[in-house]
Amino acid sequence: MRVTDSNVDSASSHMPTDWAAINWRLVQRNVRAMQIRLTKATQEGNWRRVKALQRWLTHSFCAKALAVKRVTENQGKRTTGVDRELWDGPQEKFSAIARLKKRGYRPLPLRRVNIPKSNGKMRPLGIPTMRDRAMQALYLLALDPVLEPLSDPNSYGFRKNRSTADAMAQIFVKLARTASPQWVLDADIEGFFDNINHNWMIDHVRMDPSILRKWLKCGVIDRAQLLATTAGTPQGGIISPALANWTLNGLETDLITHLTAKWGPTRVGKAKVGVIRYADDFVITGDSKEFLENEVRPWVETFLAVRGLRLAPAKTAIVHIDEGFDFLGWNFRKYSGKLLIKPSKKNVKTFYEKLRTLIGNSLGLKQIELINELNPRLRGWAQYHSPVVAKATFARIDWLLFWRLMRWAKRRHPKKDANWIRQRYWRPIGDRGWVFAVEVSKPDGTTIVKELYSLSSTPIKRHVKIKGAYQPYDPLWEKYGETLRQDRMVDKMRYRREWVKLYVCQQGNCALCGYEMDIDTGWQDHHIVYRVAGGSDVLGNRVLLHPSCHARVHSLNLKLVKPASE
């Protein structure tokens, strides 16, 4: 694709007059074209060009419309800031586009809410107003294409098409062989989001410094009191993950450069240094404990100190791979020279406690309602651990869950015996034996059996790691990125085979706007001929749409046709 200035300006001559009239396919294409140019200028080191393109993008109608679309269609669209304002209707959304301008912009303080952490403590979140969220989304569109080419190859947190499974796969690559490094610096940064130095960010993050300063200094409302923000970037803002990644970028590349300059490439290669990072969690490998203790850790502490950060002494340790370590909910450990990755004991315990609490609080629910509550949690947890050695863990949780559900049923029917309860709540299904299941009547009068998801039946499938050099805004990587996105989406949908067929038929694109669907955008199943009008559930009568496009089809009564498969 050849990108020219005329491509970007093509929408301005036909400016839409309302939200429904916006051509989102054109908007996405124009923003994408500008982001490609931003990445190219960054790769060339042309910072004057980068600054000019960022200003152009943040002043464009397309980018502003896309920013409003993001904050009004994501999971936080019903969460208000200190002004209690929401953008619900089409007119409010369209009017909001004109409010996204730099001149006279002053962000309001954040609304602080606290959510529980896995260790029992509370995590403070800062909730911006809708306008401030949209401004952050707007400037993120111009910041992310600059951040990506500058990111460390093995940084996997909050980046396009990268995930925790990629970080896990890289650790496996680094540690699995007989000649792999045997020692690991398992690091934890103390109060990362709360302590990043504001001056360092303003001086080094390549975005409009006046806007960034206003966000960092806007303050927070906590229990009706206005508190100043002198350090850190609050969790909860759309742009916060990008700022966090910018802060820690260089942890891998700068460390390798420092060691190479000091020792030379041959000795650095023998030291087997590797850095794998996901957001603010990272591990560093080395050939000896002394090397990590005397060379790597002091450099890391200096690197962090410049940014106002430090390692948490109680949670940072240098461990031998035979002892193992926990990272991102998995335990990495070698048994007789073989590296096995399993769900960590802490992660398993936390998950089971959530199930136990849910079932214990669900005595008033019907069986189908309890199954509907449990299945998404079971399926999501199983999918997360499906690339690792988790069969034994799945079987154990299934067994514990059976007895927990038996206890739930006995409390509902204290005068009935175990055989009656089994006949009432469990059904024999194929080779699975007795399964917690219930018959459900469909609108057409037929019945189906709704069963509890089986963790033990989850297939274990090794994750294919993303290439470290992948650049999502580089046209040379376009085909690889599309293939990767579609393969991973099909894998995510493998429990809904019909969705897989629809997704492949549509080449991963929405049937209305033609733009890509992924985990971030979401998707919904739409019947071309509505079921209330006699439409059937056959695949020929169904398409996948973005949630916003689905709502638009129904609100405007649009007629769709089935896209032809390739």
Side-chain angles (χ1 to χ4, degrees), residues 23 25 45 54 57 61 63 75 77 113 127 183-184 189 193 200 267 277 380 392 425 439 464 473 511:
N23 184 339
R25 189 169 189 175
Q54 284 184 321
L57 183 58
F61 173 86
Q75 291 184 349
K77 63 183 179 181
V113 296
I127 309 300
W183 292 90
V184 175
I189 301 176
F193 282 92
W200 186 93
R267 189 175 176 186
R277 178 169 67 86
Y425 291 103
E439 283 191 358
V464 179
Y473 302 104

Side-chain angles (χ1 to χ4, degrees), residues 24 69 73 512 521 524 545-553:
W24 289 110
K69 179 180 174 67
E73 294 178 2
L512 180 65
T521 65
Q524 290 180 354
L545 304 171
H546 290 129
S548 57
C549 294
H550 196 190
R552 185 182 178 196
V553 167

Side-chain angles (χ1 to χ4, degrees), residues 9 12 103 133 157 191 292 411 431:
D9 294 335
S12 60
R103 179 174 295 180
R133 263 178 270 172
L292 292 176
R411 290 180 66 187
D431 57 358

Side-chain angles (χ1 to χ4, degrees), residues 30-177:
N30 290 342
V31 171
R32 174 75 176 178
M34 288 296 296
Q35 290 177 323
I36 289 173
R37 296 169 65 187
L38 268 169
T39 288
K40 182 180 179 182
T42 302
Q43 292 170 334
E44 295 171 350
N46 190 344
W47 300 115
R48 291 185 63 183
R49 180 68 170 161
V50 167
K51 186 175 180 179
L53 290 171
Q54 284 184 321
R55 185 182 185 281
W56 192 356
L57 183 58
T58 54
H59 284 71
S60 72
F61 173 86
C62 290
K64 291 179 180 180
L66 202 58
V68 173
K69 179 180 174 67
R70 173 173 179 177
V71 301
T72 55
E73 294 178 2
N74 61 11
Q75 291 184 349
K77 63 183 179 181
R78 304 298 305 171
T79 305
T80 62
V82 294
D83 61 354
R84 300 296 178 181
E85 180 183 9
L86 288 176
W87 296 340
D88 289 329
Q91 186 57 45
E92 293 171 307
K93 296 178 184 179
F94 191 76
S95 299
I97 297 174
R99 297 174 58 188
L100 303 186
K101 52 187 178 181
K102 177 181 176 182
R103 179 174 295 180
Y105 172 65
R106 290 184 63 86
L108 293 176
L110 306 169
R111 180 170 68 89
R112 172 160 292 174
V113 296
N114 294 292
I115 61 173
K117 298 169 65 174
S118 59
N119 59 6
K121 297 182 180 179
M122 303 300 290
R123 184 192 305 276
L125 295 182
I127 309 300
T129 64
M130 291 295 292
R131 185 191 181 195
D132 293 336
R133 263 178 270 172
M135 285 291 285
Q136 289 188 17
L138 173 63
Y139 278 83
L140 180 59
L141 291 173
L143 178 64
D144 200 47
V146 180
L147 172 62
E148 278 293 334
L150 303 177
S151 295
D152 292 330
N154 291 305
S155 165
Y156 298 100
F158 307 117
R159 296 178 63 193
K160 287 183 179 295
N161 291 334
R162 286 173 166 84
S163 65
T164 53
D166 289 311
M168 176 271 296
Q170 177 60 23
I171 293 177
F172 182 85
V173 169
K174 195 68 181 176
L175 297 176
R177 298 180 180 178

Side-chain angles (χ1 to χ4, degrees), residues 190-427:
E190 189 172 58
F192 173 70
F193 282 92
D194 297 330
N195 295 310
I196 306 175
N197 185 281
H198 282 180
N199 292 331
W200 186 93
M201 280 196 286
I202 293 170
D203 292 341
H204 291 84
V205 178
R206 290 195 176 273
M207 65 168 287
D208 191 320
S210 63
I211 294 292
L212 179 57
R213 182 180 290 105
K214 288 178 181 179
W215 286 338
L216 296 176
K217 304 293 185 182
C218 68
V220 60
I221 299 291
D222 187 12
R223 299 173 186 175
Q225 290 187 342
L226 176 61
L227 306 176
T229 48
T230 58
T233 175
Q235 299 181 67
I238 288 176
I239 205 169
S240 294
L243 297 179
N245 273 337
W246 198 291
T247 301
L248 292 180
N249 270 342
L251 186 64
E252 178 182 2
T253 54
D254 290 359
L255 175 60
I256 300 298
T257 301
H258 163 76
L259 294 174
T260 302
K262 183 176 180 179
W263 287 355
T266 303
R267 189 175 176 186
V268 171
K270 292 180 179 179
K272 303 175 183 177
V273 182
V275 181
I276 301 96
R277 178 169 67 86
Y278 187 90
D280 60 323
D281 296 323
F282 63 92
V283 296
I284 303 178
T285 63
D287 67 335
S288 70
K289 182 177 182 179
E290 293 73 20
F291 167 73
L292 292 176
E293 186 68 52
N294 300 328
E295 294 291 340
V296 173
R297 182 166 179 166
W299 184 90
V300 171
E301 289 174 342
T302 302
F303 175 89
L304 295 177
V306 174
R307 294 154 174 78
L309 304 169
R310 71 188 188 100
L311 295 174
K315 298 181 180 179
T316 301
I318 298 175
V319 298
H320 195 275
I321 191 59
D322 290 345
E323 301 174 19
F325 63 94
D326 290 350
F327 188 66
L328 301 176
W330 292 299
N331 179 261
F332 299 78
R333 183 180 174 184
K334 275 191 174 180
Y335 299 82
S336 302
K338 183 175 182 180
L339 180 67
L340 295 183
I341 307 173
K342 303 178 180 180
S344 70
K345 291 181 180 179
K346 180 181 177 181
N347 182 274
V348 174
K349 181 180 178 181
T350 301
F351 178 68
Y352 177 68
E353 284 299 313
K354 290 180 180 179
L355 296 181
R356 186 183 65 81
T357 302
L358 172 62
I359 295 172
N361 294 336
S362 301
L363 283 177
L365 295 184
K366 297 179 180 178
Q367 185 180 12
I368 182 61
E369 295 172 337
L370 181 57
I371 291 175
N372 288 337
E373 287 287 335
L374 288 172
N375 276 357
R377 292 168 171 82
L378 294 170
R379 187 177 290 112
W381 190 75
Q383 281 188 337
Y384 185 83
H385 292 294
S386 62
V388 304
V389 184
K391 276 293 186 180
T393 302
F394 289 164
R396 179 169 175 267
I397 294 296
D398 271 345
W399 182 80
L400 292 173
L401 192 57
F402 166 78
W403 288 108
R404 183 58 54 184
L405 290 171
M406 180 64 76
R407 178 180 173 84
W408 172 83
K410 286 182 177 179
R411 290 180 66 187
R412 288 169 62 90
H413 307 282
K415 296 183 180 181
K416 300 294 184 179
D417 60 23
N419 187 57
W420 184 93
I421 289 175
R422 186 190 64 176
Q423 296 288 343
R424 171 69 174 78
Y425 291 103
W426 275 263
R427 296 176 181 275

